Amino acid sequence: MNSLKTAILLAALTGLLLAVGSFFGGTKGMTVMFVVSILMNFFSYWYSDKIVLSMYGAREVTHQEAPDLIRMVSALAQKAKIPMPKVYIIDTDVPNAFATGRDPEHGAVAVTTGIMRALNYEELEGVIAHELAHIKNRDTLISTVVATIAGVITMIANIAQWTAFLGFGRSNDEEGNGIAGIVEFIFLVVLAPLAATLIQLGISRSREYQADETGALVSGNPLALASALQKIEYYAQHRVMPEATPATSHLFIVNPFSGGDWLVSLFSTHPTTAQRVARLQELAKRIR
């Protein structure tokens, strides 16, 4: 069900990109923006993992440096039937973790020093299994493609806004007049990027649910993952992760900018922790 939802939302996002390109420059504009999105996806596919690991000062560790962590990742990777990913540690007290890499053969898992201190063995195992699930399900690639397309739509909207402000763009004859022209401008500048953002967030939340389920099945302990999510959420609400940026918040197992009101939840990259815990509790009952 989550995979189908992702496919539908991704198709909607691609359709929105083509519609915005058409609004901006007809068939030629649609073609140009489609090419731009392909080039951006190509760059993101090859280099996004290196960029994000560098942003957080993540250092790769060996078996000699972190034997327990490496053994845990190795055992879970075998259960998940994926190649052993590279393992990184981020020196920060705030508990969190993320996975990156363009495919399972180039996967990487990064954990903070804070998460290794805050969680017990079973909880950390659940978190690692969740991150390996992202690699197994190729979520890092999906999120890169989605973020790039949404970024292109926002870029087009910004260009349209500035061209209108500076008096460039289509002539009145091309644009039509009156209400039709106003509606077109509002769609292009306001509604399209908002819709792109909401679709992007919907895909991200869907993939988090999928990773929770896959990871819980790999570790065999849904309740340990549920407990880990609650602990990480508590720290996210009470302590800011100084290195975190909104652009990369979707990567983490719990959004480092977690908040409690409905508006924050609407624009969150993750489902609420309460929703995730409830699903994991239901899964635990089913697999007993």
Side-chain angles (χ1 to χ4, degrees):
M1 178 60 101
N2 284 319
S3 297
L4 177 61
K5 180 180 177 182
T6 299
I8 292 172
L9 290 173
L10 185 55
L13 187 61
T14 303
L16 183 60
L17 171 65
L18 298 179
V20 168
S22 178
F23 266 117
F24 188 63
T27 303
K28 184 182 292 185
M30 182 168 59
T31 303
V32 169
M33 293 308 168
F34 186 70
V35 171
V36 168
S37 70
I38 291 175
L39 293 175
M40 291 178 69
N41 272 315
F42 179 82
F43 178 83
S44 297
Y45 178 80
W46 286 100
Y47 299 109
S48 61
D49 57 338
K50 297 179 180 64
I51 292 171
V52 72
L53 288 167
S54 176
M55 281 175 58
Y56 288 100
R59 55 184 176 86
E60 186 177 358
V61 292
T62 63
H63 186 275
Q64 289 71 31
E65 296 170 295
D68 292 340
L69 180 61
I70 296 294
R71 276 196 296 269
M72 179 187 290
V73 175
S74 177
L76 289 170
Q78 289 180 31
K79 287 184 180 180
K81 298 180 180 178
I82 62 172
M84 174 68 180
K86 293 181 179 179
V87 181
Y88 292 80
I89 289 179
I90 302 170
D91 292 314
T92 181
D93 290 334
V94 182
N96 225 314
F98 67 82
T100 187
R102 61 184 181 270
D103 55 43
E105 288 70 35
H106 299 87
V109 173
V111 298
T112 67
T113 50
I115 202 172
M116 292 191 290
R117 289 194 294 267
L119 305 185
N120 64 36
Y121 187 89
E122 289 76 17
E123 291 167 341
L124 183 58
E125 198 174 41
V127 167
I128 297 296
H130 170 99
E131 297 308 333
L132 294 179
H134 277 309
I135 296 173
K136 180 181 177 70
N137 297 336
R138 297 179 182 267
D139 290 334
T140 50
L141 174 60
I142 292 172
S143 65
T144 296
V145 171
V146 169
T148 301
I149 295 176
V152 171
I153 291 172
T154 302
M155 180 182 69
I156 298 171
N158 289 337
I159 292 172
Q161 187 175 11
W162 279 104
T163 53
F165 178 74
L166 296 173
F168 300 121
R170 300 186 198 178
S171 67
N172 289 335
D173 290 338
E174 289 174 302
E175 289 182 343
N177 46 44
I179 295 176
I182 294 172
V183 169
E184 178 178 324
F185 182 78
I186 291 174
F187 168 79
L188 185 58
V189 174
V190 180
L191 298 182
L194 177 60
T197 298
L198 292 176
I199 292 172
Q200 178 186 2
L201 296 175
I203 292 174
S204 178
R205 289 191 287 266
S206 177
R207 303 316 295 173
E208 286 302 319
Y209 279 134
Q210 185 68 47
D212 281 346
E213 181 174 341
T214 303
L217 293 174
V218 168
S219 69
N221 195 343
L223 295 182
L225 175 56
S227 176
L229 293 175
Q230 289 172 321
K231 286 185 179 181
I232 299 169
E233 171 79 4
Y234 174 83
Y235 280 96
Q237 290 181 343
H238 293 85
R239 190 182 301 175
V240 176
M241 186 174 181
E243 304 88 346
T245 65
T248 58
S249 61
H250 66 284
L251 292 173
F252 289 91
I253 189 168
V254 170
N255 190 322
F257 303 102
S258 290
D261 61 67
W262 71 270
L263 187 60
V264 172
S265 298
L266 177 65
F267 287 94
S268 175
T269 55
H270 295 60
T272 67
T273 297
Q275 291 170 325
R276 297 170 71 181
V277 167
R279 288 197 178 203
L280 287 167
Q281 289 171 338
E282 280 297 314
L283 179 59
K285 293 177 184 176
R286 294 203 307 269
I287 66 176
R288 276 179 185 169

